Amino acid sequence: MPSTQTDYPAFAVTVDLVVFTLRGGELNVLLVTRGEAPFAGQPALPGGFVQPSENLDAAARRELTEETSVHEVGGHLEQLGSYGDPDRDPRQRVVTVAYLALAPDLPEPVAGTDAAAAFWLPVAKAIELPLAFDHAQILADALERARAKLEYTNLATAFCPAEFTVSDLREVYEAIWGHPLDPRNFHRKLTGTAGLLIDSGKVRRDGPGRPATVFRAGPTTTLNPPITREP
Amino acid sequence: MPSTQTDYPAFAVTVDLVVFTLRGGELNVLLVTRGEAPFAGQPALPGGFVQPSENLDAAARRELTEETSVHEVGGHLEQLGSYGDPDRDPRQRVVTVAYLALAPDLPEPVAGTDAAAAFWLPVAKAIELPLAFDHAQILADALERARAKLEYTNLATAFCPAEFTVSDLREVYEAIWGHPLDPRNFHRKLTGTAGLLIDSGKVRRDGPGRPATVFRAGPTTTLNPPITREP
DNA sequence: TCAATAGTGTCTGTAAGACAGTATTGT
DNA sequence: ACAATACTGTCTTACAGACACTATTGA
């Protein structure tokens, strides 16, 4: 019996975003307040249906733009994984493809846009909230992914603007791992990895203290050997 | 306007499997020959539609059982990622969730079962084949994932039966990374990682040479620091 | 006895972690 | 001057990589 165009179960496919940023030295995640059932009024990850003509990455990037009102978010966007338990949405069968997005400090969501219902919340608080659907699990997985990738990639630069100092990077690590790092050894490790950081020639003065060299991200994206998380 | 059960694009959702095993010291992947259009007669990864009542992991495990005719495959099964380009299937919009499965040496597919069209092929050959859909990309991603995870996990044990020797493990690494490792340093590294290997008390005699201690996988699943791939 | 494989010891170079010390700023 | 931050040097320890050496087997 040949298969036809209809002899398969129909699914809805969505993308959900875990957008991390640093605000005031603390890791924050973008949440929305749901306006409709199910879970009306509850916090959730931003996301939406994949459109017929776009691929998954494009859907994620479109949602990111819509929800943040920022056109070129920069930073980093990668697929995290898919979640498709039969009862994860009580209305219908939905498979969601979760994405992890990392962004430099973004403006507050703007009223009068799709992003009006969106808000930043420190991750420490978000993981204690009863998020809609299975979003608590997705957030937990995203956090672990981000923590793990800091160890062996230059992912921390995605949280910074194009030009940054070694201290900026260290603060990213400290915020995400939740414990302080030795500034001297950290500096030696990062500046000692060839191709990771490019000296911009500039320096930055912030209050007292010796001015810091300003770098840009270089072609090297992996740290070998990695920085270990355990202190 | 409230959303209804129908105001979303309908997708088909499938799972595709990249099943790796070791046969004769060589990494092999399970392929099927497609019987229907599109890509009829071409090799493809095994897979199928997700059923309405099962979650993604269950669908992957079901397909694995069906395609290999082996009930408890053991080994390892993890989600690799999702692929959903609008034109990846010419018939309809299909999102596939790819899984990576690692198994000890499995029997040849049995005629008269769903697995009849399935066959093992060395990965080195498979990556040169024009696989159906975007399966070449999925296979490449799976291979890279497996190679990377050997560095910092005990994933190699998934290719071995419950009891194995250090040499067995080393052969897994050599097959997947494609270059020899120093048996002495490898032995010291693995036996020196606490909780990774449990001495079964037995030894194994294979031809000439001192008998090898037989181990089982221990509770430790990560290697820290990792084994580096570069020779 | 010899070849083969398992496992140990030892050396060298690299780099992490700890921390003293120097450099350069704002106040 | 002083506090604060950026950076450099030095010491110790851990471990990878190289490889000589011992242990235990089949032929």
Side-chain angles (χ1 to χ4, degrees), chain A residues 224, chain B residues 151 177 179 181 226-231:
Chain A
N224 202 301
Chain B
E151 290 188 316
W177 284 352
H179 63 79
L181 298 173
I227 313 179
T228 49
R229 234 185 294 186
E230 312 310 322

Side-chain angles (χ1 to χ4, degrees), chain A residues 3 5 8-13 36 49-56 79 81-86 91-93 95 228, chain B residues 3 5 8-13 36 49-56 79 81-86 91-93 224:
Chain A
S3 77
Q5 299 245 353
Y8 61 89
F11 288 72
V13 176
E36 309 174 353
F49 291 110
V50 177
Q51 296 305 310
S53 62
E54 67 188 355
N55 67 28
L56 302 176
Q79 198 187 105
S82 294
Y83 299 77
D85 281 357
R91 295 166 299 179
Q92 70 211 31
R93 187 71 196 265
V95 168
T228 49
Chain B
S3 77
Q5 299 243 354
Y8 62 90
F11 287 73
V13 177
E36 309 174 354
F49 291 111
V50 176
Q51 295 306 311
S53 62
E54 67 188 355
N55 69 28
L56 303 176
Q79 198 187 103
S82 294
Y83 299 77
D85 281 359
R91 294 166 299 179
Q92 69 211 32
R93 186 71 197 267
N224 203 302

Side-chain angles (χ1 to χ4, degrees), chain A residues 5 8 21-22 33 35 38 40 48 50 66 71 75 90 106 109 112 114-116 124 148 152 158 187 207 226:
Chain A
Q5 299 245 353
Y8 61 89
T21 198
L22 269 151
T33 301
V50 177
E66 290 176 10
H71 217 69
L106 291 172
D114 264 21
Y152 60 97
H187 187 280

Side-chain angles (χ1 to χ4, degrees), chain B residues 2-104:
Chain B
S3 77
T4 71
Q5 299 243 354
T6 54
D7 73 352
Y8 62 90
F11 287 73
V13 177
T14 59
V15 290
D16 283 323
L17 296 176
V18 181
V19 189
F20 285 143
T21 199
L22 242 68
R23 293 169 66 84
E26 210 175 3
L27 185 66
N28 279 245
V29 62
L30 188 69
L31 297 178
V32 297
T33 302
R34 283 186 59 79
E36 309 174 354
F39 304 103
Q42 258 180 265
L45 297 173
F49 291 111
V50 176
Q51 295 306 311
S53 62
E54 67 188 355
N55 69 28
L56 303 176
D57 286 4
R61 191 156 290 283
R62 174 179 54 73
E63 288 290 340
L64 182 59
T65 303
E66 288 176 10
E67 303 284 358
T68 61
S69 305
V70 175
H71 217 71
E72 264 307 314
V73 173
H76 174 86
L77 183 69
E78 72 174 44
Q79 198 187 103
L80 179 64
S82 294
Y83 299 77
D85 281 359
D87 55 356
R88 66 178 294 278
D89 187 318
R91 294 166 299 179
Q92 69 211 32
R93 186 71 197 267
V94 179
V95 168
T96 195
V97 185
Y99 277 80
L100 170 63
L102 310 180

Side-chain angles (χ1 to χ4, degrees), chain A residues 47-94:
Chain A
F49 291 110
V50 177
Q51 296 305 310
S53 62
E54 67 188 355
N55 67 28
L56 302 176
D57 286 4
R61 192 158 290 284
R62 174 180 55 73
E63 288 290 341
L64 182 59
T65 304
E66 290 176 10
E67 303 283 359
T68 62
S69 306
V70 175
H71 217 69
E72 264 308 313
V73 173
H76 175 86
L77 184 67
E78 72 175 44
Q79 198 187 105
L80 179 63
S82 294
Y83 299 77
D85 281 357
D87 55 356
R88 65 177 294 277
D89 187 318
R91 295 166 299 179
Q92 70 211 31
R93 187 71 196 265
V94 179

